[in-house]
Amino acid sequence: IELTDLIVALENIAVQESPLTEGSSIRIPKMTLKKKVQEIVSILKTKGSASFSTLIGEAPDRIQVIYNGIDMSRLERLRPLADVRRDMSITDGQPVVGVAAHLTPKKGQRYLIEATALLRSRRPNLRCYLVGEGDQREELEALAAEKGVAEQVRFMGYRPDAVDLMQAMDIIVLPSVAKEGLGVCLVEAGALGKPVVGSAIPGIDEVIAQGEN
């Protein structure tokens, strides 16, 4: 599967529905920070989170951004790729996309399912793997059936070996529709040398630089 095919499919679906599209407004709740809280330094995961904190009244000089890291030694203990592909029922030459994230509306898995449906006629052997568990699973399974891609979309549930599964994917996607802490799965994908597609939202835009990485 071409990376551009997936990006176009996702954009065709999500741009009209995302609450963060251009021209929309974000409602920021009024918050009162107690004096005790204001006396400490906030440790935040991204610059996007830091910007939000200043919007709700936190002093910029009391904010420190420290990005999440990943355990690189874990990548040295990956299961053999051939074994993972066999366990995932991936055949030779079969294109695979996927996401590793909690199954909730903010993560946007529905858009990846809809993109898979759009690509079905051009890539009939495409497989989409959703790694993770959550309250939206039944709804997403119903959506895959409604779109006619129940066979193409595979729900893997919670997997402590998610990184092992990610190595079998050709493209890793994070189609979130609300700001991310960072999007650690994209960092892991980069460490695995995988192409990634992510929404242009705070957090993810600090992992992916359009046209650069």
Side-chain angles (χ1 to χ4, degrees):
I1 181 173
E2 295 293 334
L3 188 61
T4 51
D5 290 343
L6 182 60
I7 293 173
V8 169
L10 283 164
E11 286 181 343
N12 286 341
I13 295 164
V15 72
Q16 298 179 3
E17 299 187 40
S18 170
L20 295 179
T21 52
E22 185 176 356
S24 65
S25 60
I26 302 174
R27 186 181 301 276
I28 300 173
K30 293 184 66 176
M31 296 185 183
T32 301
L33 299 179
K34 295 182 180 179
K35 184 177 180 180
K36 184 176 180 181
V37 176
Q38 291 177 319
E39 291 174 352
I40 66 173
V41 175
S42 294
I43 305 299
L44 300 171
K45 298 177 182 178
T46 64
K47 293 177 182 177
S49 298
S51 296
F52 181 80
S53 293
T54 59
L55 284 175
I56 62 173
E58 194 154 358
D61 61 353
R62 294 187 178 277
I63 295 173
Q64 177 66 50
V65 175
I66 299 178
Y67 289 112
N68 276 333
I70 61 173
D71 180 6
M72 294 296 291
S73 67
R74 173 67 181 85
L75 304 183
E76 300 172 359
R77 305 190 301 274
L78 294 173
R79 292 173 56 203
L81 179 57
D83 292 349
V84 175
R85 290 180 65 89
R86 182 182 62 250
D87 292 348
M88 295 173 70
S89 301
I90 301 172
T91 59
D92 290 342
Q94 187 169 45
V96 177
V97 300
V99 54
H102 195 56
L103 302 183
T104 61
K106 71 165 286 186
K107 295 297 185 180
Q109 285 96 341
R110 63 166 297 172
Y111 301 115
L112 184 55
I113 292 173
E114 293 182 15
T116 300
L118 283 180
L119 293 168
R120 181 177 50 185
S121 60
R122 296 175 58 186
R123 308 282 179 176
N125 64 337
L126 173 67
R127 289 294 179 269
C128 172
Y129 286 83
L130 305 187
V131 181
E133 196 56 81
D135 295 338
Q136 204 185 16
R137 176 161 180 163
E138 290 186 6
E139 179 182 337
L140 293 172
E141 288 176 333
L143 177 63
E146 175 189 332
K147 297 294 182 180
V149 289
E151 289 298 315
Q152 286 86 356
V153 177
R154 307 294 173 87
F155 291 82
M156 305 300 290
Y158 169 74
R159 296 289 297 256
D161 60 342
V163 177
D164 291 284
L165 274 55
M166 289 167 61
Q167 70 167 322
M169 301 175 186
D170 298 303
I171 301 173
I172 295 172
V173 186
L174 189 56
S176 302
V177 296
K179 74 178 181 68
E180 281 285 342
L182 181 64
V184 174
C185 73
L186 298 179
V187 179
E188 293 171 330
L192 289 168
K194 299 293 182 178
V196 296
V197 178
S199 306
I201 61 172
I204 290 178
D205 62 6
E206 293 178 52
V207 180
I208 302 175
Q210 176 67 19
E212 295 181 18
N213 62 358

